[in-house]
Amino acid sequence: MRAAAIAFLAGILSVQQLAALPSLYWTLLLLPALVLSLWHPRWLPLVFFVGGFAWITWRAELILQDHLPPALEGRDIVLEGYIADLPQPTEYGSRFIFDVVRARADDAPVTVPARVRLSSDRQINVHAGESWRFTVRLRRPHGLQNPGGYDYEAFLFRNRLRATGYVRSEPSPVRLDVTSAAYTIHRLRDWIGDRIRAVLGENNYTGLIVALVNGDSGGVTDTQWETLRRTGTLHLVAISGLHISLIAGVFYWVVRWLWSLPGVTVLTMPAQFAGALGGLLGATAYAALAGFVIPTQRALIMLAVAMGAVLLRRRLPPSQLLAVALVSVLVFDPFSVMAPGFWLSFTAVAVIVYVLHGAPNVASVWRKFGYLQLAIAVGMLPLMLWLFQRISLVAPLANLVAVPTFDALVVPLTLFGALGAGFGWDHVAAFAFRIAAALLDFLWRLLDWLSSLDYAQWAQHRPPGWTLVCAVLGIAILLAPRGWPGRAIGLVWLLPIVLVRPPTPLHGEVWFALLDVGQGLAAVVRTQNHVLVFDSGARWSDRSDAGRAVVVPYLRANGVSRVDTLLISHGDRDHAGGAASIAADIPVTRTVSGAIDVLGDTCHAGMSWRWDDVDFMVLNPVGSPSRRNNSSCVLHVHSRFGSILLPADVEKSAEQHLVRRSRAELHADILVAPHHGSGTSSTPEFIDAVQPAYVVFPVGYRNRYHHPDPAVRSRYGERGARQYDSTNSGAIEFKVRESGIDVSEFRARHRRYWQAPPAP
């Protein structure tokens, strides 16, 4: 079964690497595979491999068929349906999942995806399970695509969200007097969350307690998330497999004990059977509080496999149980493989199964628990580096204290308080919640201290795949049972994942990347020993900006640990919005700015420096910093192999001044189109002076300015420039070297079948 489970997983993963879904005719291979397996069992893994391949292909095809017709993008559509989950507060209002019952456009029925993700402003107050009529504008799933960045399109696909959009304020949304029993659990979750907030008030840990009870983590602050992240304790907050297993264990032993008390009851059903059923029911009820989100579904399936073995009186080895659970989870939801939680949960359980039989036989429970925490931290190291490019070095110590505090005290107290609130016992609920908050306050002092340590976490680039294989082998040797010869050799197998570095430019070369930050600008220029970041993208909200979401992950993915110069061209939000996040996450040696509200050296024409035989020169502005587009810093980068011009948001008048004043310095092989390719820029005279071989447009998908302007595209096309835009290409990377200029489009290089097709 172990080999079959791995083969089933491999079949699913093989489809996930494809740019387009394969034909379902491939499922016909199941017939010869079945014949071979009947002839000899060694062919059974082939059956599971083809089965996994066919299963995810069919399921993915069903999801892709539920799409938004391109003709409906950007049009007013009237939707009626239900708020399908707890709304999440945002800086400007709320965001929620909407189950569509009917849709009309221009008074005619239209077909839209059954489930969409909507945003609304502060003028409407929605709750889970309510029925509403909205006028919305939708668009197909589209996300930013960058090395090291978050794949938003994969998130939407995994959650079966085939369109996103926003609610129009006019005509006004209408709440409908319609209810559905299908949303009873979500209404209960919403009500419990409100009760907890009413009882606890403005307590610092209200958001954490709500998250532990009903899975709504919207109230957890950014500071708390960062503390949990740096200490490796994120798994304690969400209703995850750890908490569900705890509840199942409690219910198992309580129900087993109660069932055996009368004595005669065990004659009709063994106590362990009753305990297994009670544990499964208790865990199911707790998962319901989280709305049966995907992580809880996965945990319940794994638990059902374990309890099923008890009910069927089968004593399976732990590794066999894990294999059955793996296949069961993948059959239920093959797209689990797209979520980091899938890999984290199964890897953690696999490490526990592997090390428990070889754990040292020590008398102290705490020493055994400490050994297990250390083993999990070591065993998860390669996966954490692969998924997140950083690991918490203080996680074993933090979890040694935090796990028993949460599982033995905080979680039971919060559930007891929720039960009290449900029965209207406000004094009981308040007592339980306040004790839980006091315990969290005590624990948080330790977590904050561990998080503040300079060595709390270790960050590096994403390792190559072959180093991950070596590291897994090294971990297996290191964690082998006591007495296994040469366990220290495992350290040697770990060296590649630590020592192998991403490639860097040679002397005199320039590697340039225009990052995909939507309607904004962020670019990275690298020489052999130096890094310059030109602009930082937009700030989208108080909790999110392109610096943190795009630029920093890109730098880490390429092994960059320090930025030598951060140059902010001017003060527009879509250029300077992420600067603070970059400076907070990665050391910046020097900041140069044309913005009046960004600290650092003032950007002005005539500034120049030389790195690794590559020349950098600022051509604009001539005067003092200003918020005007024409006062943007214009940077020219020149090497003996080629040149790059970054003119930021300059428009017609500034272009004319540049042509008159600096025509000789304007020529460049690679040009970032001025002002995102707007019709007020890229004049014929400017293009003729630059003579670019490549022009790139930093634009957002279906942006409201309709950049780039068709007339501008035509001008560049008439002059033979090859054109790229970040909407269709994602991050665009150029390597300017002796052999020529190599161009790489991230979206094309990493295309997957669920991603948006290129625009015509």
Side-chain angles (χ1 to χ4, degrees), residues 558-577:
N558 285 278
V560 175
S561 58
R562 175 176 294 275
V563 172
D564 295 282
T565 297
L566 172 61
L567 195 159
I568 303 300
S569 64
H570 64 302
D572 280 3
R573 181 174 175 171
D574 60 332
H575 292 251

Side-chain angles (χ1 to χ4, degrees), residues 387-398:
L387 292 175
F388 307 115
Q389 293 82 61
R390 60 179 180 176
I391 58 173
S392 173
L393 299 179
V394 298
L397 178 58

Side-chain angles (χ1 to χ4, degrees), residues 11-53:
I12 287 174
L13 291 177
S14 63
V15 175
Q16 293 301 90
Q17 311 309 311
L18 300 179
L21 277 180
S23 169
L24 283 173
Y25 286 114
W26 284 100
T27 60
L28 296 176
L29 291 174
L30 271 175
L31 296 176
L34 283 169
V35 172
L36 288 171
S37 66
L38 292 174
W39 174 59
H40 199 289
R42 69 184 177 189
W43 293 103
L44 190 61
L46 178 61
V47 175
F48 276 81
F49 177 85
V50 178
F53 187 96

